[in-house]
Amino acid sequence: MAKRVTRAWRDHRAGYLRRPDLESEPARIVTGAKACSRLLAIGAGLCLATIAGRLFAGSAELSLGAVHLPLGFAWVGLLAITVAHAFTGAFLAERITKYLPYLHLPGQALQVFRDVTSSGNPFVFGLRSRALPRRPGGRYHPMSLRDPSAWVAYGAAAILLLAVLPWHLEAGRISWSGGVSGWGQVVLAVVLLAVNWWAGSVWMVSLSRLHYLGTELRDLRTGPLGRDEVRRLLRPLEPAEVAAFTEPDLYRLANLLERFAERPLPRADVRDCIGSHPEARKRFAWARSRPNGLCTDHSRLIEATYRLVAAAGLPMVLADVPNVLWAHRSAEYESPERLAERMVFRRRGRRPKRDRWWNFVS
């Protein structure tokens, strides 16, 4: 018993720690994005200073006020900035990923992206969304040639290589330092470039996903469900199918469930159910009543859809849906067989008059 309680408490604690603070999370994301872009700007400034020192200083040291930095060890500062950028970018991407399932208002996501891309940092100024890969499900997210931050990234990659590679200027000529230390600096330059490019891609793509999802949520409908939307909600889903949904697809399905919770359909028997009942169509072909509600089976189907969407990662958005679903589930409806027997019994009650009339005419 004690183990069960401890396990339940661990699960509750883990869920509490995973849930972000929805009010302060947008500001934290903006601050984290600005910190990552500031690290990139500092690293680019150090690379430019190193290159300028090798070209124009004429000495082996770079003087920044009272600080003297050996040009041959500039890679130490670049390595420190790279490690900080990798950790900051990874944590920022994880924070955005945890915030996406709790995103309820599209204006919040768009405002976060607007605050980051409108800053004066050249690495994020005018950033275009990179959320969509070149191919569905791919990992390559291309940068637009009309994106000014893309050209800044290409330039920063070039000056990073020039700052770390083992070259120096002697008598107006560029000399290359060979040996083990020289080739070690070549490997280090490639590693630093790869790590910085990976870290920048991770948090910039995550930020672009936030913008893309906000744009998709802005176009979602409001108000009562239409006939086609109800039929979409009544389509059976498998767990593997829901797990393969993208975040906009999950939010579109969650939007249907939310609107169903706001204006739920009335309870009805099989004959008046808005869903499709092949058996009911055969048995109640004479019924001309207009479908206007949901029966027990279809209410349970919507409940199963809700559980799949909530398990996929949208529990906060669907907070008010279970009350409506459980209210539908607690109601008692007539089964199709029972309703068929009742309707047949009513028809049999009229047969004696018609039988007597037919016998009299014949």
Side-chain angles (χ1 to χ4, degrees), residues 340-351:
E341 293 177 0
R342 182 167 58 85
M343 296 300 295
V344 171
F345 177 77
R346 289 182 180 179
R347 291 189 63 186
R348 288 177 179 175
R350 302 188 186 98
R351 285 177 184 174

Side-chain angles (χ1 to χ4, degrees), residues 84-307:
H85 180 220
F87 275 96
T88 308
F91 281 114
L92 177 60
E94 183 182 3
R95 182 176 294 275
I96 294 176
T97 303
K98 290 182 179 180
Y99 176 66
L100 288 178
Y102 298 92
L103 184 62
H104 196 73
L105 299 176
Q108 295 177 353
L110 297 178
Q111 185 63 36
V112 168
F113 189 82
R114 191 180 301 113
D115 291 342
V116 174
T117 57
S118 60
S119 63
N121 194 298
F123 284 92
V124 292
F125 178 76
L127 175 68
R128 289 177 176 265
S129 178
R130 306 170 187 174
L132 298 180
R134 182 178 294 275
R135 297 179 180 179
R139 296 184 177 181
Y140 175 60
H141 297 258
M143 296 184 294
S144 175
L145 296 179
R146 299 180 179 179
D147 188 351
S149 63
W151 293 101
V152 174
Y154 292 139
I159 63 175
L160 175 62
L161 292 177
L162 291 177
V164 181
L165 291 179
W167 63 273
H168 57 278
L169 191 64
E170 290 183 357
R173 295 182 179 182
I174 296 178
S175 302
W176 183 271
S177 300
V180 178
S181 60
W183 289 109
Q185 289 188 14
V186 172
V187 175
L188 178 63
V190 175
V191 171
L192 291 180
L193 177 60
V195 173
N196 279 285
W197 196 272
W198 167 82
S201 301
V202 164
W203 69 266
M204 287 186 183
V205 170
S206 299
L207 191 66
S208 300
R209 289 171 57 198
L210 194 64
H211 173 267
Y212 175 69
L213 185 57
T215 305
E216 293 293 322
L217 291 182
R218 186 178 55 186
D219 299 333
L220 292 178
R221 297 182 179 179
T222 57
L225 295 176
R227 181 64 59 88
D228 295 337
E229 292 175 331
V230 174
R231 295 186 184 279
R232 169 66 179 84
L233 197 59
L234 294 178
R235 186 171 67 86
L237 296 174
E238 297 294 335
E241 184 179 1
V242 176
F245 280 173
T246 60
E247 291 163 352
D249 293 334
L250 280 176
Y251 269 97
R252 292 188 188 101
L253 193 55
N255 173 257
L256 298 180
L257 293 171
E258 277 188 305
R259 291 161 59 193
F260 174 78
E262 293 175 356
R263 298 186 180 181
L265 298 175
R267 294 189 294 266
D269 53 22
V270 176
R271 181 183 58 180
D272 297 332
C273 183
I274 197 171
S276 59
H277 287 276
E279 298 81 3
R281 289 181 180 179
K282 296 178 181 178
R283 297 179 181 179
F284 312 134
W286 66 87
R288 300 295 180 181
S289 60
R290 183 179 181 182
N292 56 4
L294 288 178
C295 64
T296 305
D297 296 336
H298 286 133
S299 297
R300 292 175 178 173
L301 183 60
I302 295 179
E303 181 183 354
T305 302
Y306 157 75
R307 295 185 182 277

